[in-house]
Amino acid sequence: MNAHAPLPAAAGCGIEIRQEQGQRAVFCGLTGIVWLHRKIQDAFFLVVGSRTCAHLIQSAAGVMIFAEPRFATAIIDERDLAGLADMNEELDRVVGRLIERRPDIKLLFLVGSCPSEVIKLDLSRASLRLSKALSPDVRVLSYSGSGIETTFTQGEDACLASLVPDLPVEPADSASSLLVVGALADLVEDQFARLFAELGIPARFLPARRSGEMPALGRNTRYLLAQPFLTDTARALEERGARRISAPFPLGAEGTTRWLHAAAESFGVDPLLFAAVVAPGQKRARRALAPYQEQLSGRRVFFFPDSQLEVPLARFLSREMEAELIEVGTPYLHRAHLADELELLPRGTVVNEGQCLDDQMDRCREARPDLTVCGLGLANPLEAEGLSTKWSIELLFTPIQGYDQAGDLAELFCRPLVRRTRLEV
Amino acid sequence: MQLTVWTYEGPPHIGAMRIATAMKGLHYVLHAPQGDTYADLLFTMIERRDARPPVTYTTFQAQDLGRDTAEIFKNAVAQAYERFQPQAMIVGASCTAELIQDDPGGLAKALDLPIPVIPLELPAYQKKENWGASETFYRLVRALAGQPADRAPREGRRPLCNILGPTALGFRHRDDVIEIRKLLAALGIDVNVVAPMGATPSDLVRLGAADFNVVLYPEIARSAAQYLQKTFAQPFTEIVPIGVKATDRFIDAVAELAGVDPASVLAGAPSRLPWYSRSVDSTYLTGKRVFIFGDATHALAAARIAATELGFKVVGLGTYTREFAREIRAEAAEHGIEALITDDYLDVEAAIQAAAPELVLGTQMERHIAKRLAVPCAVISAPIHVQDFPARHSPQMGFEGANVLFDTWVHPLMMGLEEHLLGMFREDPEFHDGAAPSHLTRHGAAASSQPEPHPEVPGGKAEEVILVAPWAPEAEKELKKIPFFVRGKARANTERFARERQLPLITLETLYDAKAHFGR
């Protein structure tokens, strides 16, 4: 999934795409569980992996005190590796104990990890077997969140892709419908649902908030990606006959308008109606963005790779906030899904796919950006070197899409700058 | 395979990272898949360090598995040496790299670097974090401490000791070291090397110059201390100075090893805990039922403090540190209970539920259990989260440590007056049954809205499924009048009383008969 296939650079749009290999300071896909388990309220995520995997998730999520967490790890031990225990029997036993304890679970994800992938434990077969045994109360699906195959948000991609084959079938003669793909904050989802309703577009969302309410899918489904990291999910949707509506991502006032417009065009919405529906949101977003624009205009920004949100965010910062882009790092660049975004980036922007951590840190130190967007492993060390940082993971945990979050999104980037001027100690 | 909701320890390479990050001038090259760099966050976020840990990861990916991962590792070692110029290096594998068997030690050796490169064998599918830290520290000491030096004669100089055990990501290690340094200074003892915290590889070379070793955290430093005892004839302290009495005994032991007089340090009232605990405000703490779980060092210390310095009743004691199971069992026997030796969170949860304590002293994980059961809780041991790396001075060790412990453990309990009034008047709209203690400011908090945890049969083992006599409505109603923090115990006692007498129904009389039978 992270292969750096030598694709032709986005010719003509003047973007310089570089590729880099070396040490990568990124999360693995297991981290997606941290927000997915809140989004799908009756799902449980069982990682099949090592103590390292368990430790990762609890280090990320364990600061919240859970009365009933909806994730756990089946830790592989030496008996499993030595073949002394049948791994599939062991897995069945662990799942049995889990379901007994949590009868409220309706959907169980078996999540693959580096160890389970390296020893080739077949979780997809295990999920079929367990699904049969536990039906109809519990459905069991599987996907890989391993670090060797997935980077951070690609865990969500893998999870949603595993849902797709299971989605209900839409009748062949049903009218065209819109599927919005990617986990969004509930608030954002509700706003978009209202906008699509006003535009007269029948829209549904993947993932749904409950496992029993997942949307149906068919040849007349058109889907719109709400997140830029959904490569495999898109492929799975195409395989079931759905067609993608190409659009930039709904970040900032412009991104949101273009995103909605792509859907409206595809569904033949009257341009006058479209203008009328989006006008209030656009106006509010512009008003909300104005004060932040003053603070961000001309600021030099450096993105370390993290979530694949970097390119759309850089586009938002440069076009709507007038920030200057030094380097836009991304763990993986899907040329087709990001094509509309790349076109909007200023000419000459350096987009860096992949990572060689120490070299990239050297470039960052050399450039002394006004704001560095990076992961939490780098943020405090860079702050201590006198660089302002915006920790990137927050962009996944905060409602940032849509008109009414545009101001909040800009504020996330301003906050570290404001803080720096405010503190006298 | 083990179902793990929460894990008490990370994998062993995290232990090795804690040693490397604690030290200076040491670099760790870890053969690990992409994503294992999450461990950096433990240090930069949870402990709030201002520099990246001195760790280079190979971060191999799926496509690398078809190629030469050994080559990736060799390059990483060479580049890390080039860039960071450490005094020494440790090399090893994480759990996934262990499966692909690239032999980091041999590969690093082949590079023939001009510094000591110490290979680590950390079996990730058998061992855990503390073992990894202990093993790494032991390997480093073994490799670097060199030959036994001729120590200067004791006459005419102050005694000299090493402090062993404090690491990065240790529970209050930073402040414990400050307290212990203070105590040693007051005793007239000089400190040669503190390790691993703050030490360089060349400091480890000087370990032999000390007269003896102070081991603060046996989980981390006992095996290194044993090696130093064997090789350099350095005795080491066995007493961990957490609690007033333990600190007294620690001071006596250190004074004896150093040949100094402890009297002046022990004189006066060096800790406030004894007076606070004797003052009448603390009388209501007598016999409070407390459940204790953590690493062996902190659990042992907590059990003694709880029973003999605060007057609690220890109703549960356990540890996830199997290496110290014997000590924990012996201590549990002193309290007339059976020790819980497990790293299974669900077992701990079941044991806490069965013991129905009024206070849980545990780790971050017990906070989850305590929330579910709506029982007050304080943290005494790792694993911990960011709030337990506080800015303020907050040791666990020494006399100041005892002051901190008094405040921390009493805080989550309902205060005396409120507890009395709640027992007398039950229908107050503000100070009502099950609302959080008002000094904790969560007014009308969730505790009351949560269903009262019904003591269940732990583990659901078939032979333990016992029929419980039904409760008569008026008895059930009366049970609600018992203050919530002892209600679980009252329910369990009454049901046990009824079961033992094979009563068909639990009535008002049964409730009070059971109360008379068991006492509080």
Side-chain angles (χ1 to χ4, degrees):
Chain A
M1 278 187 211
N2 292 320
H4 299 288
L7 289 165
C13 63
I15 304 300
E16 191 185 336
I17 298 177
R18 296 181 189 161
Q19 288 179 332
E20 198 174 34
Q21 285 189 30
Q23 187 186 176
R24 294 165 68 107
V26 290
F27 282 126
C28 66
L30 295 181
T31 332
I33 293 170
V34 174
W35 66 89
L36 286 169
H37 86 275
R38 308 310 295 174
K39 180 72 194 177
I40 312 175
Q41 295 158 15
D42 52 2
F44 193 99
F45 294 79
L46 180 66
V47 178
V48 182
S50 65
R51 193 166 299 283
T52 310
C53 310
H55 194 237
L56 157 80
I57 301 198
Q58 81 179 35
S59 303
V63 73
M64 295 162 70
I65 311 294
F66 292 89
E68 287 292 358
R70 288 202 301 271
F71 47 81
T73 310
I75 294 186
I76 298 169
D77 58 32
E78 50 178 343
R79 290 177 62 249
D80 302 311
L81 293 176
L84 293 176
D86 183 289
M87 282 234 212
N88 286 306
E89 280 171 24
E90 284 289 295
L91 187 59
D92 292 1
R93 183 181 58 78
V94 164
V95 169
R97 190 176 177 201
L98 176 68
I99 297 296
E100 200 175 286
R101 190 184 139 82
R102 300 296 304 275
D104 52 320
I105 300 168
K106 298 278 177 283
L107 176 59
L108 174 67
F109 287 102
L110 302 177
V111 188
S113 65
C114 301
S116 75
E117 298 294 330
V118 167
I119 62 174
K120 309 257 183 264
L121 179 62
D122 192 341
L123 289 182
S124 61
R125 272 178 58 183
S127 68
L128 283 176
R129 182 180 68 239
L130 284 162
S131 242
K132 211 176 272 174
L134 297 170
S135 80
D137 301 332
V138 186
R139 267 193 313 147
V140 185
L141 296 174
S142 75
Y143 71 90
S144 170
S146 75
I148 55 177
E149 292 172 309
T150 59
T151 305
F152 194 30
T153 47
Q154 286 177 329
E156 176 177 329
D157 183 27
C159 173
L160 300 191
S162 79
L163 281 170
V164 173
D166 236 35
L167 295 178
V169 182
E170 213 173 40
D173 57 349
S174 60
S176 299
S177 63
L178 177 68
L179 187 63
V180 179
V181 190
L184 292 167
D186 293 344
L187 170 89
V188 176
E189 193 178 298
D190 293 342
Q191 289 170 3
F192 284 151
R194 281 198 297 272
L195 282 170
F196 284 123
E198 285 175 48
L199 291 170
I201 300 174
R204 288 142 329 156
F205 294 81
L206 181 73
R209 293 174 204 183
R210 307 194 67 84
S211 62
E213 298 162 6
M214 294 293 170
L217 192 61
R219 298 223 149 262
N220 298 320
T221 306
R222 285 172 236 174
Y223 69 94
L224 187 59
L225 297 178
Q227 300 279 19
F229 42 74
L230 298 172
T231 308
D232 288 354
T233 308
R235 194 180 304 132
L237 290 167
E238 307 266 345
E239 275 166 20
R240 289 205 38 188
R243 278 166 300 139
R244 183 171 74 93
I245 301 171
S246 170
F249 294 90
L251 297 171
E254 185 193 22
T256 304
T257 303
R258 286 175 182 268
W259 186 73
L260 291 170
H261 187 256
E265 223 172 26
S266 168
F267 280 81
V269 176
D270 173 7
L272 287 175
L273 173 66
F274 180 80
V277 168
V278 300
Q282 268 181 321
K283 208 171 139 199
R284 281 199 304 272
R286 270 200 296 272
R287 197 183 320 138
L289 285 171
Y292 300 117
Q293 196 188 45
E294 265 169 55
Q295 296 171 45
L296 286 171
S297 175
R299 299 284 193 159
R300 299 163 62 251
V301 186
F302 192 107
F303 281 89
F304 277 83
D306 188 52
S307 62
Q308 300 184 47
L309 278 168
E310 294 82 5
V311 169
L313 289 170
R315 179 264 304 158
F316 163 71
L317 285 180
S318 81
R319 287 176 66 94
E320 296 187 54
M321 296 288 108
E322 295 168 6
E324 199 182 305
L325 304 174
I326 301 173
E327 176 172 325
V328 183
T330 179
Y332 175 73
L333 187 69
H334 193 294
R335 292 348 187 233
H337 289 181
L338 269 302
D340 296 271
E341 290 284 356
L342 290 170
E343 253 171 50
L344 295 172
L345 283 179
R347 294 184 68 84
T349 302
V350 177
V351 176
N352 196 68
E353 186 184 16
Q355 186 172 33
C356 178
L357 177 63
D358 287 319
D359 291 354
Q360 194 168 33
M361 285 186 82
D362 284 348
R363 293 199 297 275
C364 179
R365 287 178 181 124
E366 169 98 37
R368 307 263 340 145
D370 296 311
L371 188 65
T372 304
V373 185
C374 63
L376 288 172
L378 304 180
N380 273 335
L382 288 175
E383 289 280 350
E385 292 181 24
L387 294 175
S388 281
T389 60
K390 164 75 219 100
W391 54 282
S392 49
I393 301 133
E394 196 176 19
L395 297 159
L396 264 298
F397 296 159
T398 312
I400 56 170
Q401 292 85 357
Y403 291 124
D404 292 307
Q405 284 64 243
D408 303 344
L409 174 59
E411 198 272 342
L412 284 180
F413 293 102
C414 284
R415 201 184 297 166
L417 300 172
V418 170
R419 185 163 184 78
R420 200 161 263 265
T421 59
R422 205 175 271 206
L423 298 182
E424 292 179 8
V425 289
Chain B
M1 249 178 231
Q2 187 194 358
L3 175 61
T4 310
V5 181
W6 301 108
T7 167
Y8 284 98
E9 292 182 72
H13 73 258
I14 298 291
M17 278 188 75
R18 288 175 55 187
I19 303 295
T21 308
M23 290 180 61
K24 296 187 174 78
L26 178 74
H27 201 84
Y28 184 17
V29 180
L30 179 63
H31 205 12
Q34 161 177 273
D36 279 5
T37 50
Y38 82 87
D40 283 357
L41 274 72
L42 305 172
F43 301 96
T44 61
M45 294 309 294
I46 295 181
E47 205 182 3
R48 276 184 233 259
R49 287 187 172 253
D50 62 1
R52 289 190 55 231
V55 182
T56 296
Y57 305 78
T58 53
T59 58
F60 56 84
Q61 295 172 260
Q63 79 241 21
D64 299 320
L65 293 178
R67 297 206 292 269
D68 196 356
T69 48
E71 196 59 33
I72 294 178
F73 179 78
K74 268 164 69 177
N75 289 340
V77 174
Q79 282 166 11
Y81 173 72
E82 197 62 33
R83 182 178 279 270
F84 299 103
Q85 299 282 316
Q87 293 176 18
M89 252 198 211
I90 48 180
V91 296
S94 80
C95 53
T96 305
E98 189 183 328
L99 295 173
I100 59 177
Q101 298 187 331
D102 274 335
D103 183 24
L107 292 169
K109 202 172 165 207
L111 287 172
D112 205 18
L113 298 176
I115 51 164
V117 177
I118 298 139
L120 300 174
E121 292 288 342
L122 307 175
Y125 297 91
Q126 299 167 25
K127 302 290 189 181
K128 299 196 279 283
E129 178 176 333
N130 282 335
W131 187 89
S134 172
E135 172 72 7
T136 303
F137 188 46
Y138 165 74
R139 289 285 156 200
L140 277 167
V141 168
R142 234 192 114 110
L144 298 172
Q147 295 304 309
D150 283 333
R151 280 197 284 280
R154 289 290 283 270
E155 287 76 27
R157 66 169 175 87
R158 281 157 63 104
L160 192 63
C161 73
N162 300 315
I163 298 178
L164 303 182
T167 64
L169 217 65
F171 179 57
R172 309 293 166 86
H173 288 194
R174 177 195 73 193
D175 299 342
D176 284 349
V177 170
I178 293 171
E179 283 308 302
I180 297 307
R181 274 181 174 278
K182 248 190 257 171
L183 286 178
L184 293 171
L187 287 164
I189 300 168
D190 287 337
V191 175
N192 179 44
V193 172
V194 180
M197 186 187 277
T200 61
S202 57
D203 289 332
L204 296 188
V205 178
R206 301 188 292 114
L207 282 172
D211 300 312
F212 64 96
N213 288 315
V214 171
V215 174
L216 293 187
Y217 308 100
E219 276 97 339
I220 312 282
R222 186 189 270 180
S223 44
Q226 282 168 338
Y227 172 78
L228 291 169
Q229 183 178 42
K230 213 169 63 191
T231 328
F232 297 166
Q234 288 172 330
F236 63 91
T237 57
E238 298 264 18
I239 299 156
V240 178
I242 303 178
V244 178
K245 296 313 284 179
T247 302
D248 287 349
R249 287 188 292 124
F250 171 80
I251 289 169
D252 280 333
V254 169
E256 200 186 319
L257 287 179
V260 297
D261 181 11
S264 66
V265 179
L266 295 173
S271 169
R272 291 184 199 98
L273 180 142
W275 169 242
Y276 270 56
S277 191
R278 279 176 193 279
S279 74
V280 295
D281 194 47
S282 298
T283 313
Y284 84 112
L285 300 177
T286 314
K288 284 259 181 223
R289 305 163 51 79
V290 55
F291 190 101
I292 298 168
F293 196 84
D295 67 22
T297 299
H298 289 89
L300 275 177
R304 285 178 200 155
I305 297 164
T308 64
E309 298 180 18
L310 291 175
F312 292 153
K313 178 174 170 53
V314 178
V315 296
L317 174 63
T319 184
Y320 56 82
T321 315
R322 286 182 192 278
E323 292 85 344
F324 293 81
R326 203 159 42 89
E327 287 91 332
I328 291 280
R329 287 209 176 91
E331 181 67 27
E334 296 274 305
H335 301 276
I337 50 177
E338 201 175 319
L340 176 68
I341 313 295
T342 183
D343 58 358
D344 189 332
Y345 169 84
L346 297 175
D347 288 350
V348 180
E349 188 182 68
I352 291 179
Q353 203 155 5
E358 294 163 76
L359 175 67
V360 175
L361 299 176
T363 72
Q364 173 75 10
M365 305 311 139
E366 278 64 54
R367 297 178 70 192
H368 299 284
I369 298 170
K371 179 182 179 188
R372 179 160 173 260
L373 304 178
V375 181
C377 178
V379 171
I380 59 159
S381 158
I384 38 179
H385 244 294
V386 60
Q387 63 272 48
D388 280 302
F389 288 97
R392 67 181 183 277
H393 184 57
S394 23
Q396 304 285 290
M397 289 186 179
F399 297 121
E400 182 60 24
N403 297 341
V404 170
L405 291 179
F406 181 90
D407 291 345
T408 312
W409 295 7
V410 173
H411 178 77
L413 297 169
M414 182 160 298
M415 292 168 87
L417 174 66
E418 188 165 330
E419 185 177 308
H420 279 296
L421 291 179
L422 264 179
M424 289 186 63
F425 310 109
R426 327 209 52 86
E427 290 169 14
D428 188 284
E430 180 182 355
F431 296 92
H432 59 84
D433 185 35
S438 64
H439 72 284
L440 297 182
T441 68
R442 290 179 297 138
H443 295 295
S448 58
S449 63
Q450 279 176 3
E452 179 194 333
H454 192 290
E456 286 163 19
V457 182
K461 291 171 201 137
E463 68 272 16
E464 286 179 32
V465 176
I466 305 150
L467 288 174
V468 175
W471 285 70
E474 83 275 9
E476 187 84 51
K477 216 167 134 195
E478 197 74 359
L479 181 70
K480 292 245 161 63
K481 297 180 188 166
I482 294 171
F484 67 91
F485 44 85
V486 285
R487 192 181 302 147
K489 190 68 202 165
R491 179 191 281 278
N493 277 348
T494 309
E495 288 176 353
R496 187 173 135 204
F497 184 84
R499 198 162 56 233
E500 283 168 5
R501 280 154 194 77
Q502 297 184 319
L503 303 177
L505 183 74
I506 294 172
T507 63
L508 259 181
E509 281 68 36
T510 323
L511 180 66
Y512 285 114
D513 285 347
K515 187 180 178 205
H517 179 75
F518 290 109
R520 203 198 129 197

